[in-house]
Tab-separated table of all heavy atoms in Angstrom:
chain	number	residue	atom	x	y	z
B	10	ASN	N	-77.521	-5.287	37.743
B	10	ASN	CA	-76.996	-3.939	37.963
B	10	ASN	C	-76.002	-3.519	36.904
B	10	ASN	O	-75.713	-2.358	36.716
B	10	ASN	CB	-76.334	-3.857	39.346
B	10	ASN	CG	-77.351	-4.015	40.459
B	10	ASN	OD1	-78.531	-3.673	40.270
B	10	ASN	ND2	-76.914	-4.527	41.586
B	273	LEU	N	32.667	-2.460	-9.874
B	273	LEU	CA	34.052	-2.709	-10.249
B	273	LEU	C	34.990	-2.462	-9.065
B	273	LEU	O	34.638	-1.747	-8.117
B	273	LEU	CB	34.447	-1.802	-11.411
B	273	LEU	CG	33.624	-1.954	-12.701
B	273	LEU	CD1	34.180	-1.039	-13.796
B	273	LEU	CD2	33.610	-3.405	-13.171
B	290	ARG	N	14.984	-5.571	-0.119
B	290	ARG	CA	15.793	-5.901	-1.297
B	290	ARG	C	16.497	-7.228	-1.071
B	290	ARG	O	17.176	-7.427	-0.058
B	290	ARG	CB	16.829	-4.819	-1.576
B	290	ARG	CG	16.286	-3.436	-1.731
B	290	ARG	CD	17.125	-2.594	-2.663
B	290	ARG	NE	16.420	-2.392	-3.920
B	290	ARG	CZ	16.812	-1.540	-4.862
B	290	ARG	NH1	17.929	-0.852	-4.697
B	290	ARG	NH2	16.125	-1.385	-5.963
B	322	ASP	N	16.613	-1.403	2.629
B	322	ASP	CA	17.462	-0.313	2.145
B	322	ASP	C	16.920	1.060	2.492
B	322	ASP	O	17.474	2.075	2.052
B	322	ASP	CB	17.684	-0.433	0.638
B	322	ASP	CG	16.459	-0.043	-0.176
B	322	ASP	OD1	15.331	-0.257	0.311
B	322	ASP	OD2	16.629	0.471	-1.300
B	356	ARG	N	-0.791	-4.078	0.361
B	356	ARG	CA	-0.050	-4.227	-0.894
B	356	ARG	C	-0.908	-3.826	-2.086
B	356	ARG	O	-0.446	-3.127	-3.002
B	356	ARG	CB	0.430	-5.676	-1.055
B	356	ARG	CG	1.410	-6.137	0.005
B	356	ARG	CD	1.850	-7.579	-0.233
B	356	ARG	NE	2.697	-8.072	0.849
B	356	ARG	CZ	3.315	-9.241	0.850
B	356	ARG	NH1	3.149	-10.072	-0.177
B	356	ARG	NH2	4.080	-9.606	1.871
Side-chain angles (χ1 to χ4, degrees):
N10 294 332
L273 300 183
R290 305 210 108 170
D322 74 328
R356 297 181 185 186

